[in-house]
Amino acid sequence: MDLSTITRWNTALALTVDAQGSAEFFPALITALREMLPLSYPQVWLYHRDLPPQVVYHDIPKHAIPSQIDEYLEGPYREDPFYQVSMDNPKGSIYRLGRISGNLKDSVYYQTYYGDTGTVDELVFLSKLDDGSVINLSIMRLPKQGEFADSEYQLLYSLAPTISALIRAHARNQQFAIDYLIQPGIDYQVDQAFKTFGSSLLSAREHEVLELMLKGYSAEVGAERLSIALETYRRHRKNLYKKLDINSQADLFSLFIASLSCVGEAKGEDPLSIYMA
């Protein structure tokens, strides 16, 4: 690495430190990484055992959002090796997809989802938070960029502890905690929310479909669990989207998470009816 690259990195890193606790933190951190090497589709995910994943930040072109986010949230995230390692008490601060997935191209995850995303390599900087949730900063490579070279991975490996520590420090900011992190008693709240969320607006069958969607099951698995045809399942999904005034599974997850704050006030009824009042 030459002196000019180190200088650009240090300058960008200083701006990242100054941006901690603000909405500019992740854009500044990604800008710093781009000073070191080419990357694509940077995205920041918050994973928690009891909730669907949340997109904290991304810099993905509009045309790639359906495959990178919307389809991922339809269920493939459960098979994502990064999600699995994040939920398995991770020890490291950087993971490369090819090194934790074994024969990636032979996996269900690759054949039903990842192979269609247009990426050829991916790694994440992983930050485990005090409440057990995990933040992953993912960076990818497209075919025109090629896979990460060993020298590039070794460089990122050397930076990973610093990047992970910066993300953890940012996550301790009060506003980040309010916006994203899970509060004490969330297990009970989530259980109640799964049982009641949307029940005031949906039919009993639509609510069953809704609960399976919130738990991350694909349409195929959901239809099988309810012993209904796939097209019937999709019709129920379309109807509940209309009743909840949303357009995607990402919208559904966001609405569900936002309504959690109303579970206590709802006292066993639909928290959504209070949130939308």
Side-chain angles (χ1 to χ4, degrees), residues 209-238:
V209 171
L210 173 69
E211 185 171 350
L212 290 172
M213 292 173 64
L214 288 172
K215 291 182 177 179
Y217 292 104
S218 66
E220 290 78 5
V221 174
E224 181 179 347
R225 281 180 169 252
L226 295 178
S227 299
I228 59 177
L230 179 58
E231 287 307 311
T232 303
Y233 183 96
R234 288 172 172 163
R235 185 172 66 251
H236 288 311
R237 183 176 62 185
K238 181 179 179 180

Side-chain angles (χ1 to χ4, degrees), residues 34-211:
R34 281 182 162 140
E35 294 291 353
M36 309 298 289
L37 76 174
L39 57 90
S40 296
Y41 299 168
Q43 46 199 281
V44 181
W45 289 88
L46 175 63
Y47 292 134
H48 189 277
R49 213 173 290 279
D50 300 312
L51 286 173
Q54 287 179 266
V55 184
V56 176
Y57 175 80
H58 73 80
D59 183 10
I60 302 174
K62 187 175 181 179
H63 72 86
I65 290 176
S67 65
Q68 290 292 327
I69 295 179
D70 297 338
E71 292 179 24
Y72 180 75
L73 288 172
E74 291 284 351
Y77 76 83
R78 288 182 173 274
E79 303 300 324
D80 180 0
F82 289 138
Y83 173 81
Q84 293 174 348
V85 75
S86 296
M87 295 293 94
D88 191 28
N89 194 27
K91 305 298 183 183
S93 55
I94 185 171
Y95 292 89
R96 188 174 179 180
L97 187 59
R99 295 192 177 186
I100 63 172
S101 60
N103 296 321
L104 176 63
K105 291 187 177 181
D106 294 333
S107 68
V108 173
Y109 179 66
Y110 184 90
Q111 294 173 3
T112 61
Y113 167 70
Y114 197 80
D116 296 326
T117 63
T119 55
V120 297
D121 204 356
E122 181 179 4
L123 61 81
V124 298
F125 298 100
L126 187 150
S127 301
K128 185 177 179 181
L129 306 185
D130 295 338
D131 69 341
S133 55
V134 173
I135 295 176
N136 279 359
L137 166 56
S138 167
I139 58 176
M140 301 181 179
R141 296 291 277 267
L142 298 176
K144 64 181 180 182
Q145 299 164 328
E147 297 180 2
F148 292 103
D150 288 343
S151 59
E152 291 177 317
Y153 179 74
Q154 290 302 318
L155 172 61
L156 295 174
Y157 183 88
S158 70
L159 299 176
T162 299
I163 292 172
S164 181
L166 282 171
I167 293 174
R168 283 196 302 274
H170 173 68
R172 295 189 185 104
N173 173 264
Q174 182 179 12
Q175 190 57 50
F176 186 91
I178 291 171
D179 290 342
Y180 296 106
L181 295 184
I182 311 306
Q183 304 300 319
I186 193 64
D187 291 346
Y188 170 77
Q189 293 184 42
V190 171
D191 184 61
Q192 284 293 105
F194 276 141
K195 294 177 181 177
T196 58
F197 175 77
S199 58
S200 64
L201 300 173
L202 307 177
S203 69
R205 179 61 90 184
E206 288 166 350
H207 191 266
E208 289 177 328
V209 171
L210 173 69
E211 185 171 350

